[in-house]
Amino acid sequence: MEASSKKTSSSCLPVNIGELDIYLFGQGKHWDLYRVLGAHAHEGEKGAGYRFAVWAPNAKAVSVVGDFNDWQPGTHELFPVAASGVWAGYIPGLAHGDLYKFAVTGKYGDTVFKTDPFALFAEMRPGVAARAWGLDDYTWGDAAWMDARRAKGLPLDDAISVYEVHAGSWRWNTKEYGSFYTYRELAAKLVPYVRDLGFTHIEFMPLAEHPLDESWGYQTGHYFAPTSRFGTPEDLRFLIDACHQAGIGVILDWVPGHFPKDEWCLGRFDGTGLYEHEDWRQGEHPDWGTYVFNYGRHEVRNFLFSNALYWFKEFHIDGLRIDAVASMLYLDYSRNEGEWIPNKYGGKENVDAIDFLRDLNVVVHEHFPGASMIAEESTSWAGVSRPVYTGGLGFTFKWNMGWMNDTLDYFTKDPVYRSYHQNQLTFSMLYAFHENFILPLSHDEVTHGKGSLIGKMPGDHWQQMANLRLFLSYMWAHPGKKLLFMGCEFGQWKEWTSHEELDWVLTEFPQHQGAMELVRALNALHKARPAMHVQDNDWTGFEWVDLSDYASSVITFLRKAPDGSQILWAFNFTPVVREAYTVGCRVPGFWREIFNSDSTYFGGGDVGNDGGVMAQPTTYGGWPYFLSIKLPPLAAIAFTPE
């Protein structure tokens, strides 16, 4: 959209900002702050235009600049609002889509062009100016989804499997090589694809506006503006609406842990550390070269609170996944001695960040019943997904980084050595129910030199494909919700890069089609069988059958449901067929084979049990019955009693 070139009134006019709005902002409790600060359509005494409001308490002057005044500071000066630190004004004649910035004369007299922290839309990179935009130009069609989510409450017992997507590299527009799919094209292509594979949710890597493609959105420049790379805010609403109408939830990556230092951004906004701490030992991240939010300041907390609520309220998202929570919790995160300041108790915990996260989770869950808050937290911090009233942080789910690291490390080993490392598979069950876990196989594990998922697997081509199927089967069988990064579902060979689309040509080959069919079958089994998901977060939903057969590299366990149904899983982590392998059970009769990752449907060799086996009534290892089964090579099989 082209910006307007017409001239406007030669000065700003005063505009009223309500006393209650100012009071709530000062208290850090204005949940709709984005409707007060920023730029909003306004019908004033001189006709239609836009009103502006920005928080810059230490500024000497603030004005609005754009094409309408040749980007000249001082032409349209804003007015200070009664000792609140807010500057406001109204410009008649400004049109929807016009570009603008704030010219902020800081505490020490320097004037810097700053983007609007509450901008609802921004120009396409490399430009960083905000666009005058609106909030209420879309009619939703997902009322049934939203009502059901609200009525059901937290999805702790749901069958959740998440497909993680980087919108800029999932698939490209073939009409113009190298161009992104738009939000609406993703609605037409991505949504049916995800639905066909049976995933319940899509998690998008950050979609808030960011200037650098290579940051993948994790260095956010405009917290309230969906990126213009893929279309307008209304187009993003259309995509989310399409997901909901197809029965798919939407999770959005959110980054309240840090923000970039670019001069036009939030940093040193009024010449001082406004959104960040002044002291670099508290206000900067050495790893990422970014600023850290000052979580102890009411106005900063309110900025982040209202931003989180904004995505839920205005875009109907179903969950926020918070990136790098560990970096928020610890004052000494990735810092050496002398590079951090202890808290008021002398410890390394960031008390302000802890309070912020707890309050945020309480507010989100109160306002949006059924919505999820998800923590990527890589340490052993206790109670991340436990309620605030019990001393927890209040998240709905936590990524299980320990499971991911141990399991991937195990699978990289040649099967001949796996018997020495079986504890890497079994150890996760010691803590599997300490949190409400999501098992993540995310973008972080298939980039930056780590190689693709299938590329980590040992052996020849057949063994690599079999190991991939075995890994995914083990992941789906293990307690916890599931998350899989795009491309892993069909065994992409090359490492993921944001500069290229996925290797879709691979999906034309039978072995890769088989991997996709496996994911489709796992998702269907996961949804259809309560034993696979209802007690994901409780010991009563899991029971070891045998975890001690190190010599054979075989483990067996039960997944159980409250209705008494159960599924027996057996995993053979070697390429050797195990004939007449004995497994204990306590239910007599016929056990039907309901899943086999070695099926020809999935590209396997079809070694199996001819539909099932009969339980034998001889006591075995403390079990009253046993099954004599054939274990296919590098495969997982599942049985349920009839």
Side-chain angles (χ1 to χ4, degrees), residues 314-486:
E314 307 297 341
F315 288 86
H316 290 199
I317 65 162
D318 302 287
L320 285 176
R321 176 267 192 181
I322 300 187
D323 182 63
V325 170
S327 74
M328 302 170 66
L329 295 175
Y330 298 98
L331 295 166
D332 66 341
Y333 182 87
S334 195
R335 292 173 172 84
N336 298 315
E337 187 175 350
E339 295 178 348
W340 61 283
I341 300 175
N343 62 35
K344 59 186 177 182
Y345 306 110
K348 63 181 182 179
E349 297 80 14
N350 189 335
V351 176
D352 290 336
I354 294 167
D355 289 343
F356 163 75
L357 290 171
R358 285 174 170 162
D359 292 345
L360 172 68
N361 287 325
V362 168
V363 169
V364 168
H365 286 131
E366 284 181 350
H367 282 73
F368 299 98
S372 296
M373 296 293 285
I374 303 165
E376 184 217 12
E377 202 284 308
S378 55
T379 74
S380 57
W381 189 282
V384 171
S385 59
R386 293 296 178 254
V388 170
Y389 61 79
T390 67
L393 293 183
F395 284 94
T396 320
F397 298 108
K398 174 183 174 176
W399 275 19
N400 193 336
M401 309 296 282
W403 173 88
M404 178 272 297
N405 285 315
D406 286 347
T407 306
L408 281 181
D409 188 59
Y410 177 87
F411 268 88
T412 63
K413 300 184 187 318
D414 189 292
V416 73
Y417 302 115
R418 286 178 176 174
S419 63
Y420 303 104
H421 300 276
Q422 192 149 308
N423 64 303
Q424 288 187 295
L425 293 179
T426 59
F427 179 69
S428 63
M429 293 313 304
L430 292 176
Y431 60 85
F433 308 107
H434 292 177
E435 302 278 1
N436 303 326
F437 278 125
I438 292 176
L439 309 183
L441 201 289
S442 75
H443 65 277
D444 279 330
E445 313 320 317
V446 294
T447 190
H448 288 327
K450 295 180 181 178
S452 65
L453 177 58
I454 193 170
K456 300 177 195 297
M457 304 300 168
D460 57 23
H461 181 269
W462 184 92
Q463 290 186 356
Q464 285 183 293
M465 294 300 299
N467 268 305
L468 174 67
R469 297 192 299 268
L470 176 57
F471 175 91
L472 293 174
S473 301
Y474 175 69
M475 177 177 176
W476 256 253
H478 192 287
K481 313 308 179 187
K482 326 300 174 189
L483 180 140
L484 189 67
F485 185 59
M486 63 183 199

Side-chain angles (χ1 to χ4, degrees), residues 530-552:
M532 290 291 290
H533 62 265
V534 170
Q535 292 177 303
D536 261 337
N537 310 300
D538 194 306
W539 264 109
T540 58
F542 176 90
E543 183 179 3
W544 283 115
V545 176
D546 189 355
L547 73 163
S548 61
D549 191 0
Y550 294 87
S552 300

Side-chain angles (χ1 to χ4, degrees), residues 2-19:
E2 295 297 326
S4 171
S5 60
K6 67 180 179 182
K7 301 295 182 180
T8 62
S9 171
S10 60
S11 63
C12 271
L13 300 175
V15 66
N16 180 55
I17 302 293
E19 291 184 8

Side-chain angles (χ1 to χ4, degrees), residues 1-4 38-41 50 52 65 67-68 71 94-101 115-116 118-125 127-134 209 222 224-226 228 231-233:
M1 177 180 293
E2 295 297 326
S4 171
H40 300 277
Y50 272 77
F52 296 85
V65 296
D67 288 338
F68 50 87
W71 301 91
L94 230 63
H96 180 78
D98 280 350
L99 296 173
Y100 72 95
K101 293 182 182 180
T115 195
D116 181 359
F118 287 84
L120 302 175
F121 194 35
E123 65 177 326
M124 176 74 83
R125 65 174 186 353
V128 295
R131 289 191 183 276
W133 212 259
E209 191 63 86
H222 295 83
F224 290 83
S228 56
T232 67

Side-chain angles (χ1 to χ4, degrees), residues 560-598:
K560 301 185 291 185
D563 63 5
S565 63
Q566 57 185 273
I567 296 176
L568 170 66
W569 282 93
F571 303 88
N572 179 10
F573 295 99
T574 72
V576 178
V577 177
R578 305 289 178 187
E579 301 278 357
Y581 189 86
T582 304
V583 181
C585 67
R586 63 170 59 92
V587 179
F590 184 74
W591 286 66
R592 183 162 58 90
E593 185 179 281
I594 60 173
F595 178 84
N596 185 338
S597 69
D598 194 50

Side-chain angles (χ1 to χ4, degrees), residues 164-172 205-206 213-218 442-453 456 485-488 490 492-503:
E164 187 191 19
V165 172
H166 177 261
S169 60
W170 180 71
R171 200 156 199 163
W172 284 351
M205 293 164 68
D213 289 355
E214 288 78 2
S215 81
W216 310 333
Y218 292 100
S442 75
H443 65 277
D444 279 330
E445 313 320 317
V446 294
T447 190
H448 288 327
K450 295 180 181 178
S452 65
L453 177 58
K456 300 177 195 297
F485 185 59
M486 63 183 199
C488 296
F490 60 77
Q492 172 157 308
W493 286 101
K494 70 180 181 184
E495 180 179 274
W496 172 67
T497 171
S498 62
H499 297 297
E500 300 174 14
E501 69 171 344
L502 299 181
D503 279 340

Side-chain angles (χ1 to χ4, degrees), residues 156-406:
L156 298 178
D157 294 330
D158 290 2
I160 293 177
S161 59
V162 183
Y163 186 67
E164 187 191 19
V165 172
H166 177 261
S169 60
W170 180 71
R171 200 156 199 163
W172 284 351
N173 191 330
T174 55
K175 296 177 182 178
E176 184 179 346
Y177 181 75
S179 66
F180 301 128
Y181 265 4
T182 66
Y183 292 122
R184 290 178 182 265
E185 287 171 329
L186 287 170
K189 300 292 186 180
L190 174 64
V191 174
Y193 178 81
V194 171
R195 184 178 184 180
D196 173 64
L197 287 176
F199 287 96
T200 63
H201 290 71
I202 298 172
E203 178 177 319
F204 288 104
M205 293 164 68
L207 292 178
E209 191 63 86
H210 50 284
L212 186 66
D213 289 355
E214 288 78 2
S215 81
W216 310 333
Y218 292 100
Q219 294 216 14
T220 302
H222 295 83
Y223 273 77
F224 290 83
T227 177
S228 56
R229 289 167 176 79
F230 317 122
T232 67
E234 291 73 33
D235 293 334
L236 176 56
R237 290 181 174 95
F238 181 89
L239 168 57
I240 296 171
D241 203 351
C243 287
H244 286 172
Q245 293 184 48
I248 297 169
V250 177
I251 299 167
L252 187 64
D253 275 14
W254 188 55
V255 192
H258 61 108
F259 60 91
K261 290 184 176 180
D262 303 67
E263 187 180 56
W264 54 269
C265 200
L266 295 175
R268 300 300 190 264
F269 193 83
D270 60 2
T272 67
L274 191 61
Y275 289 89
E276 72 278 22
H277 290 274
E278 284 277 4
D279 193 318
W280 66 271
R281 293 173 296 176
Q282 294 173 291
E284 297 187 21
H285 264 309
D287 279 356
W288 304 313
T290 51
Y291 285 128
V292 180
F293 284 105
N294 182 350
Y295 305 107
R297 189 163 192 170
H298 286 175
E299 296 90 346
V300 176
R301 286 164 54 93
N302 204 158
F303 172 79
L304 293 170
F305 283 155
S306 65
N307 184 240
L309 295 171
Y310 167 78
W311 293 107
F312 283 108
K313 184 174 183 178
E314 307 297 341
F315 288 86
H316 290 199
I317 65 162
D318 302 287
L320 285 176
R321 176 267 192 181
I322 300 187
D323 182 63
V325 170
S327 74
M328 302 170 66
L329 295 175
Y330 298 98
L331 295 166
D332 66 341
Y333 182 87
S334 195
R335 292 173 172 84
N336 298 315
E337 187 175 350
E339 295 178 348
W340 61 283
I341 300 175
N343 62 35
K344 59 186 177 182
Y345 306 110
K348 63 181 182 179
E349 297 80 14
N350 189 335
V351 176
D352 290 336
I354 294 167
D355 289 343
F356 163 75
L357 290 171
R358 285 174 170 162
D359 292 345
L360 172 68
N361 287 325
V362 168
V363 169
V364 168
H365 286 131
E366 284 181 350
H367 282 73
F368 299 98
S372 296
M373 296 293 285
I374 303 165
E376 184 217 12
E377 202 284 308
S378 55
T379 74
S380 57
W381 189 282
V384 171
S385 59
R386 293 296 178 254
V388 170
Y389 61 79
T390 67
L393 293 183
F395 284 94
T396 320
F397 298 108
K398 174 183 174 176
W399 275 19
N400 193 336
M401 309 296 282
W403 173 88
M404 178 272 297
N405 285 315
D406 286 347

